[in-house]
Amino acid sequence: MRFLLTDEQREFGRSLDALLTAADTPAVLRAWAAGDHGPGRALWGRLADAGVFALAVPEAYGGVGPLPVEAAVACVELGRHAVPGPVAETLAAGVLLAGAGGPVAEEWLPGIASGAAAVSLTLEGYGPYAPDADAADAVFTVSGDGLRLAPDPGEPSASADPARRLFRPEPGGAPVAKGPAIRAAARAAGDWAAFATAALALGCGEELLRATVAYVKQRTQFGVPVGSFQAVKHRLADTLLGLEFARPLLYGAAVELASEVSRPGAGAGSAEGAPGAGAGSAEGAPGAGAAVAAAKVTAGEAGYAAARTALQLHGAIGYTEELDLAWWLRRARPLRDAWGTPSACRARVLAG
């Protein structure tokens, strides 16, 4: 497959890069980690105005999606700038609620598309934690063929990334939809969560590599830049190869997801009490799931390898929270493991 982004897709990425460069995301990250979500939600609104969250919401609910390729472009940029908040979870919730249909979709999807609502969620098979649930307007949980609205985000748990807090939602909550369509929608939502996280990890790794290359050109030892040393060059080259190998897998997964969306009959089915459920949604299929898993494990491992390279080549300064790059360093491993650990993703690829 020879895949190239269109001029419009590349311009979309450049516009997001410009928006986020002007937003001073390190300051937003620090505020978010301290519990001040105001700057982060303001940035969230600007991203929504640019159309980011509408990419996972069908047109029937005020969105423009699902558009997986454009979502990949957006999430790579958001990962490069370490945008805080439940980005992958909100995109996945758009797919989940579109598959559920009915009143819950009508209530929440327009808000997701417009940026008025940030959403976190938990799905069976992906662990009990809802990232950034304290900052979300809703936390959805799926158990079996039932979709519930969690009554409370629960207590926070320790996280390697202080700007990506983990919560275990309180059990119970109001049931909002039920039926076979919920299982299919949850599978599709899990694929989208893993897919978006893979794109975030790729963007995170790209920024770590960019900052490290700039640093080794400036830092000198024995009167020359350390970047001129062969061992340093090889380490950086290996990091670049890992990231570049992950990129076509990410966009290949996007193409697979897009083909599932356009497949005749995709999203068919309904939840109880939800006429018209599944409009514009993708059910998710083994082919798409395997492609997403391959992208997730490759991008996650490449991003984490970039973090290890960045930490080693920055030396002791890499450990300091005063260094902005420390926020990217602390994000790489959680992104690698979120929504599908490397071992789980490899098993899914082998299962086909």
Side-chain angles (χ1 to χ4, degrees):
M1 178 186 297
R2 183 172 183 266
F3 182 85
L4 293 174
L5 296 175
T6 66
D7 291 341
E8 291 80 6
Q9 289 164 342
R10 286 193 292 268
E11 181 56 34
F12 179 49
R14 285 192 291 267
S15 68
L16 290 176
D17 179 49
L19 184 158
L20 293 168
T21 298
D24 189 17
T25 52
V28 175
L29 276 166
R30 286 185 168 88
W32 191 275
D36 178 7
H37 301 134
R41 290 304 296 263
L43 178 58
W44 191 276
R46 293 198 292 275
L47 291 169
D49 291 341
V52 170
F53 302 109
L55 296 171
V57 176
E59 292 182 14
Y61 299 102
V64 297
L67 295 175
V69 176
E70 287 76 5
V73 171
C75 286
V76 168
E77 294 301 329
L78 269 60
R80 182 179 289 119
H81 291 272
V83 172
V87 172
E89 292 73 26
T90 297
L91 292 172
V95 174
L96 173 66
L97 298 179
V104 65
E106 295 170 0
E107 179 181 359
W108 288 100
L109 286 178
I112 289 175
S114 68
V119 177
S120 192
L121 78 164
T122 64
L123 300 172
E124 286 186 321
Y126 290 98
Y129 299 111
D132 295 307
D134 59 331
D137 299 289
V139 179
F140 290 97
T141 64
V142 175
S143 178
D145 61 357
L147 173 63
R148 292 178 177 270
L149 185 61
D152 188 88
E155 294 297 320
S157 299
S159 173
D161 181 1
R164 189 177 182 276
R165 303 177 71 194
L166 301 177
F167 291 80
R168 187 188 291 264
E170 294 290 338
V176 292
K178 185 178 181 180
I182 299 302
R183 290 184 183 271
R187 287 195 297 270
D191 285 346
W192 268 74
F195 168 69
T197 304
L200 293 169
L202 177 60
C204 179
E206 288 179 346
E207 175 58 20
L208 285 162
L209 178 60
R210 183 207 63 79
T212 305
V213 169
Y215 180 73
V216 298
K217 288 179 179 179
Q218 298 172 357
R219 181 185 172 191
T220 61
Q221 195 168 17
F222 307 115
V224 297
V226 296
S228 65
F229 300 155
Q230 189 176 42
V232 172
K233 290 179 180 180
H234 285 183
R235 184 68 182 264
L236 292 170
D238 288 343
T239 302
L240 176 61
L241 284 174
L243 295 169
E244 289 302 317
F245 184 72
R247 191 185 314 280
L249 290 176
L250 176 68
Y251 286 113
V255 171
E256 290 282 356
L257 288 172
S259 68
E260 289 299 321
V261 171
S262 61
R263 178 173 53 85
S270 62
E272 291 179 12
S281 68
E283 288 186 8
V292 168
K296 175 62 172 58
V297 65
T298 308
E301 294 280 33
Y304 183 51
R308 293 173 64 88
T309 296
L311 183 59
Q312 180 174 1
L313 298 185
H314 274 81
I317 193 175
Y319 286 96
T320 62
E321 289 193 0
E322 291 78 11
L323 180 71
D324 286 345
L325 198 68
W327 295 93
W328 280 256
L329 288 169
R330 300 183 71 170
R331 176 155 294 203
R333 183 162 184 170
L335 287 176
R336 184 196 70 170
D337 296 336
W339 296 106
T341 62
S343 59
C345 288
R346 289 189 179 96
R348 190 172 187 186
V349 171
L350 291 174

